[in-house]
Amino acid sequence: MALTKREFLKLAGIGSVAAVAGPAVADKHELSDITGDVAPISPAERAARVTNAQRLMKEHAIDALLIEPGSSMTYFSGLRWWRSERLTGLVIPREGRPAVVTPYFEEPSVQESLEIDAEVRTWHEDESPYKRVAEILKDRGLKRGRLGIEESVRYFVANGVAEAAPDTQQVPADPVVLGCRMFKDAHEIALMKKANEVTLTAYAHVYQSLQTGMSPDDVKALMRDAQGALGGSGIWGMALFGKASAYPHGTSMRQEIEEGQIVLMDCGCSVHDYRSDISRTFVFGEANEEQRTVWDTVRKGQQIAFETAKVGTPAGKVDNAVRQYYESMGYGPGYATPGLSHRTGHGIGMDVHESINFVNGETTPLAPGMCLSNEPGLYNFDTFGVRIEDCLYMTDDGAQWFTVPPDTIDAPIGKPA
């Protein structure tokens, strides 16, 4: 039999229904925005990021960066733009004022969202935007410099700039861009904590709302509405039932909730551009012995990953430690199923997936400010899968949770850190 709200709250250690301030148990129309106590990244912080990037450019002998619309552009400039065949690009020189290249008719809109002191250099429809980039490099004394290309820049853009500035050597911008973005500061971590709080609170609401016969779309809609009401944006989610839960990224098979069935959800949102990513596995009704055993094994694997994640430890060793435990329990070997068929975790920040990963062979040492997911699921394609995912951030004292994982399948939500 499914837990009542009162039974769930008691198991979760929250207390009586009357003692709860709404979000965990309220109707979606009663859920309210909980993000008012966090502020967005300020223009001064973005300017400091540009200064940090320029410092790293000098260290790595890179003379300028070229960045297209996306999270890196927003990270440095605050500019939120989209990608099309018309180039809008950000150029950050090693010294001097950054510049934005954009179509002439877009300049007023670009100026509205730009949050740093930057030149805006425009081009008309019958002109080459790549020549504008080349002119900026020349004006900054970088005609023959090394131009760092951010990893998501499209080929036709990089090629167009190469033709317009043939004396410029194009090199990966990773040492600079990742050197900034991989290490989150206290403000970024606070925003990620809030995003994770939104998602976890929404999970508690949805868990109490599950009903026999619901489809994945029904459950995803509940989660979307709850996260939105709580103040999340950029909302995404997945819901898998029964055998489908063994497919980590879903399946087209028809599903609906049945008594005694596994329900696996993977969901997240953004708060002021910073992401959450949490997976929870429930049983609709009473869990059987096999479901409990697999759930407990996954939870122990997650704890092993958390305890292995220490400053200076190569990130791949976190994955290795989990896989060694799973193999001792008869799973695998390696990435084979029944077992853990994907990496133990991935970097997270403004993007759901960032560098680096908890994956075999990753030698990058963990360092303060790194943020990663911790999600060592177990999957059997013939039966079901279990995934418990919470994100962590690295400190001098080791890993810290963004959300505290649950300890039992009978109270499967957990709590904010």
Side-chain angles (χ1 to χ4, degrees):
M1 180 179 295
L3 296 171
T4 67
K5 288 181 182 179
R6 196 173 300 275
E7 290 169 335
F8 164 72
L9 293 170
K10 183 177 180 181
L11 284 168
I14 297 174
S16 69
V17 174
V20 177
V25 296
D27 180 87
K28 70 178 182 180
H29 300 296
E30 298 173 3
L31 296 173
S32 59
D33 191 334
I34 62 173
T35 66
D37 57 343
V38 290
I41 301 298
S42 70
E45 288 173 295
R46 298 198 194 280
R49 292 171 174 182
V50 170
T51 299
N52 188 35
Q54 291 175 324
R55 176 186 63 82
L56 289 171
M57 279 187 261
K58 292 173 183 176
E59 288 183 9
H60 295 280
I62 294 175
D63 296 293
L65 303 180
L66 176 63
I67 300 171
E68 276 207 85
S71 55
S72 288
M73 178 177 282
T74 303
Y75 176 89
F76 288 111
S77 73
L79 182 58
R80 291 165 178 80
W81 209 252
W82 60 92
R83 296 189 182 202
S84 73
E85 75 283 4
R86 296 182 174 102
L87 175 65
T88 290
L90 172 66
V91 178
I92 302 178
R94 186 183 62 213
E95 295 181 351
R97 192 179 180 208
V100 176
V101 173
T102 196
Y104 170 80
F105 60 86
E106 301 285 20
E107 180 180 7
S109 299
V110 166
Q111 293 281 14
E112 281 182 349
S113 61
L114 189 61
E115 296 180 14
I116 60 171
D117 177 26
E119 174 190 3
V120 178
R121 194 170 295 199
T122 64
W123 55 278
H124 292 291
E125 292 278 62
D126 59 349
E127 296 177 322
S128 168
Y130 314 117
K131 288 184 178 179
R132 292 290 182 271
V133 175
E135 289 166 3
I136 292 167
L137 297 176
K138 181 180 178 181
D139 291 348
R140 291 339 184 242
L142 306 174
K143 182 178 179 181
R144 291 181 173 80
R146 284 161 49 90
L147 177 62
I149 304 296
E150 198 264 349
E151 62 181 0
S152 69
V153 170
R154 294 168 293 179
Y155 172 79
F156 78 85
V157 173
N159 187 61
V161 172
E163 291 179 351
D167 295 330
T168 300
Q169 179 187 2
Q170 295 189 2
V171 297
D174 288 0
V176 177
V177 176
L178 297 185
C180 292
R181 291 189 56 189
M182 193 184 298
F183 307 99
K184 278 67 175 180
D185 63 22
H187 191 175
E188 292 174 288
I189 287 172
L191 292 173
M192 293 176 69
K193 280 185 178 180
K194 183 58 65 174
N196 280 276
E197 182 185 352
V198 167
T199 300
L200 194 71
T201 304
Y203 266 125
H205 167 77
V206 170
Y207 177 60
Q208 293 304 298
S209 304
L210 299 177
Q211 296 179 22
T212 302
M214 279 185 168
S215 70
D217 284 344
D218 294 331
V219 177
K220 287 189 291 184
L222 284 173
M223 193 67 180
R224 181 190 63 239
D225 291 348
Q227 290 189 92
L230 290 160
S233 62
I235 295 164
W236 59 273
M238 180 174 65
L240 303 168
F241 310 153
K243 187 176 179 179
S245 62
Y247 297 76
H249 283 166
T251 172
S252 60
M253 68 176 67
R254 185 177 182 276
Q255 306 166 59
E256 62 179 38
I257 293 179
E258 301 173 2
E259 187 75 17
Q261 190 179 51
I262 285 281
V263 175
L264 189 158
M265 298 181 65
D266 190 346
C267 304
C269 71
S270 295
V271 171
H272 296 311
D273 299 317
Y274 284 82
R275 299 280 188 169
S276 64
D277 187 3
I278 301 175
S279 296
R280 289 293 183 260
T281 302
F282 320 131
V283 172
F284 184 74
E286 185 67 29
N288 62 37
E289 183 176 351
E290 182 184 13
Q291 291 166 337
R292 290 180 181 277
T293 298
V294 176
W295 195 99
D296 289 344
T297 302
V298 171
R299 178 65 188 90
K300 184 172 179 180
Q302 189 190 36
Q303 190 62 29
I304 287 172
F306 181 80
E307 293 172 359
T308 305
K310 299 183 184 300
V311 170
T313 298
K317 289 192 177 298
V318 175
D319 184 82
N320 298 154
V322 174
R323 231 164 275 281
Q324 182 179 9
Y325 164 63
Y326 281 171
E327 289 180 13
S328 76
M329 302 296 289
Y331 292 101
Y335 291 81
T337 58
L340 173 55
S341 53
H342 56 71
R343 62 198 174 195
T344 294
H346 55 80
I348 187 169
M350 293 180 70
D351 295 315
V352 176
H353 289 178
E354 296 186 356
S355 295
I356 54 175
N357 299 308
F358 289 143
V359 66
N360 180 49
E362 177 57 71
T363 59
T364 303
L366 297 173
M370 290 183 174
C371 300
L372 303 100
S373 72
N374 181 352
E375 49 179 315
L378 283 174
Y379 310 95
N380 185 330
F381 296 146
D382 295 325
T383 55
F384 62 87
V386 171
R387 182 162 66 252
I388 307 168
E389 176 187 14
D390 296 86
C391 293
L392 59 81
Y393 60 98
M394 297 302 301
T395 73
D396 290 330
D397 298 324
Q400 300 292 325
W401 292 115
F402 281 109
T403 49
V404 179
D407 289 325
T408 171
I409 197 171
D410 296 313
I413 302 300
K415 62 183 180 180

